[in-house]
């Protein structure tokens, strides 16, 4: 189910993006932050499902050049920091 959601999200972003895809990503991040407004999270004082979904998608690319560029070239850095502090470390289960 998660793979389907990720594929749908990626398809939607790529289909409507024109020109430089990184610039489109920065624009989408800034649009999200504009919707958050002066609140700490989209959900207000606590993250809601929209916050968790966005954080989950961006966490998947953490450590990549794309993630680093996104933080440097958009307004999402402070929100990401608040989310990381609120949500905590990844709960990923690694199979051996």
């Amino acid at each position: 189910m998660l793979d389907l959601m990720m594929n749908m999200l990626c398809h939607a972003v790529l289909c409507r993006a024109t020109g430089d895809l990184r610039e489109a990503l920065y624009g989408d991040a800034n649009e999200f932050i504009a919707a958050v407004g002066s609140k700490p999270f989209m959900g207000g004082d606590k993250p809601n499902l929209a916050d968790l979904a966005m954080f989950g998608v961006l966490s998947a690319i953490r450590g990549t050049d794309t993630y680093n560029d996104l933080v440097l070239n958009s307004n999402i850095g402070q929100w990401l920091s608040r989310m990381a502090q609120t949500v905590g470390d990844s709960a990923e289960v690694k199979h051996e």
Side-chain angles (χ1 to χ4, degrees):
M1 181 68 162
L2 182 58
D3 288 339
L4 175 63
M5 290 173 57
M6 290 293 291
N7 285 337
M8 288 171 50
L9 177 65
C10 290
H11 179 71
V13 169
L14 292 176
C15 284
R16 71 181 181 90
T18 57
D20 186 335
L21 292 180
R22 291 236 176 138
E23 290 296 326
L25 180 62
Y26 308 152
D28 288 343
N30 287 334
E31 188 176 320
F32 179 81
I33 293 304
V36 170
S38 62
K39 305 172 297 213
F41 305 104
M42 184 73 78
D45 291 333
K46 297 180 187 175
N48 66 7
L49 190 55
D51 291 297
L52 294 172
M54 177 67 98
F55 187 68
V57 168
L58 295 180
S59 293
I61 63 167
R62 186 180 306 142
T64 66
D65 289 342
T66 301
Y67 181 90
N68 295 336
D69 288 347
L70 175 64
V71 172
L72 290 173
N73 294 290
S74 74
N75 299 321
I76 205 158
Q78 290 181 348
W79 175 86
L80 282 168
S81 295
R82 285 192 300 274
M83 283 297 295
Q85 186 176 19
T86 302
V87 174
D89 290 332
S90 171
E92 176 186 8
V93 176
K94 297 187 180 187
H95 300 282
E96 296 180 19

